[in-house]
Amino acid sequence: AQSVTQLGSHVSVSEGALVLLRCNYSSSVPPYLFWYVQYPNQGLQLLLKYTTGATLVKGINGFEAEFKKSETSFHLTKPSAHMSDAAEYFCAVSEGTGFQKLVFGTGTRLLVSP
Amino acid sequence: DTEVTQTPKHLVMGMTNKKSLKCEQHMGHRAMYWYKQKAKKPPELMFVYSYEKLSINESVPSRFSPECPNSSLLNLHLHALQPEDSALYLCASSQEGRSSYNEQFFGPGTRLTVL
């Protein structure tokens, strides 16, 4: 079964600093990988996804992630944090056979201080 | 329209009540999902409907009963719930359930409290 590990339940950065949220996956087949963001009391919004092709994926709100097969990683980055980026971030992997089932990591709460 | 709507936003019910959650999308998606999310946890898949047929039931207790009347609507009927069922219930949809690369669009959720 596929799985996702997100290192760090909380990450704190200052406004303007680099954001790095870590995600490692386990999969026996080429994975489809997703990053979702959840603001308080809201649903999940897709930031970006990797399916095939270019390993550097650009998403919304200035976020990007790089798929590294050799490291089984899909870390999320943003060059300069904004206060509005404070939220919960979930990395997810999609099982590639049968019906789509998203398997989520445990989430990382991003805190941004002025 | 790229929105998934859910009603109600909040629901408080007793353990003997019967209530329903409603989810609607008008994106022409043929797969719809119910997730349960406890506080400070990731969403957990409950059900998947594909082309209006129940395709996946993740061993959910029978006090949760899903229904897909048409391709735009998804209901979750609740009966005899327990306090531990209190959670945020999220609905999602995607173009087609068998394509694992499709993104899922999530609604804002219904915050359920069982007394």
Side-chain angles (χ1 to χ4, degrees):
Chain A
Q2 296 175 321
S3 66
V4 169
T5 301
Q6 290 184 243
L7 288 176
S9 59
H10 292 81
V11 169
S12 294
V13 299
S14 299
E15 193 173 21
L18 172 72
V19 175
L20 171 60
L21 304 183
R22 298 179 187 276
C23 173
N24 288 88
Y25 68 90
S26 171
S27 174
S28 58
V29 298
Y32 299 120
L33 295 160
F34 306 79
W35 273 101
Y36 282 88
V37 61
Q38 186 175 33
Y39 297 99
N41 299 313
Q42 293 188 27
L44 280 69
Q45 181 183 14
L46 182 72
L47 283 175
L48 48 82
K49 66 178 182 181
Y50 170 78
T51 54
T52 58
T55 56
L56 182 61
V57 181
K58 293 188 185 300
I60 63 170
N61 301 339
F63 285 94
E64 62 182 37
E66 187 171 10
F67 172 66
K68 292 187 177 181
K69 185 178 178 181
S70 60
E71 298 177 9
T72 61
S73 69
F74 190 56
H75 301 331
L76 183 70
T77 60
K78 182 174 180 177
S80 176
H82 290 231
M83 297 294 290
S84 59
D85 294 327
E88 189 84 22
Y89 291 80
F90 292 100
C91 183
V93 62
S94 180
E95 296 186 352
T97 58
F99 292 98
Q100 185 191 60
K101 291 174 63 174
L102 279 178
V103 177
F104 288 91
T106 50
T108 298
R109 179 163 296 276
L110 178 65
L111 306 167
V112 183
S113 56
Chain B
D1 184 2
T2 58
E3 194 178 35
V4 175
T5 59
Q6 290 187 245
T7 54
K9 288 191 187 316
H10 301 274
L11 179 62
V12 179
M13 60 186 290
M15 289 189 285
T16 58
N17 291 159
K18 285 185 181 182
K19 296 286 185 183
S20 297
L21 310 185
K22 179 180 171 181
C23 173
E24 198 164 2
Q25 58 87 14
H26 295 288
M27 294 178 277
H29 290 172
R30 302 313 301 268
M32 296 185 77
Y33 312 77
W34 279 116
Y35 289 85
K36 174 182 178 180
Q37 186 179 24
K38 301 283 280 185
K40 301 186 190 305
K41 297 289 187 183
E44 295 178 351
L45 183 66
M46 299 175 72
F47 303 104
V48 179
Y49 272 84
S50 180
Y51 292 90
E52 297 149 52
K53 292 191 188 314
L54 182 62
S55 302
I56 295 177
N57 176 343
E58 292 286 271
S59 303
V60 178
S62 60
R63 57 185 184 269
F64 294 91
S65 176
E67 178 197 19
C68 191
N70 59 58
S71 60
S72 301
L73 263 181
L74 186 66
N75 298 319
L76 186 63
H77 303 297
L78 314 172
H79 173 55
L81 294 193
Q82 304 296 310
E84 58 265 29
D85 296 322
S86 298
L88 181 68
Y89 287 85
L90 294 164
C91 174
S93 70
S94 67
Q95 276 190 326
E96 201 274 330
R98 280 195 175 272
S99 299
S100 295
Y101 52 82
N102 285 335
E103 69 171 280
Q104 293 185 19
F105 290 79
F106 284 80
T110 292
R111 176 76 60 190
L112 174 67
T113 303
V114 182
L115 300 176

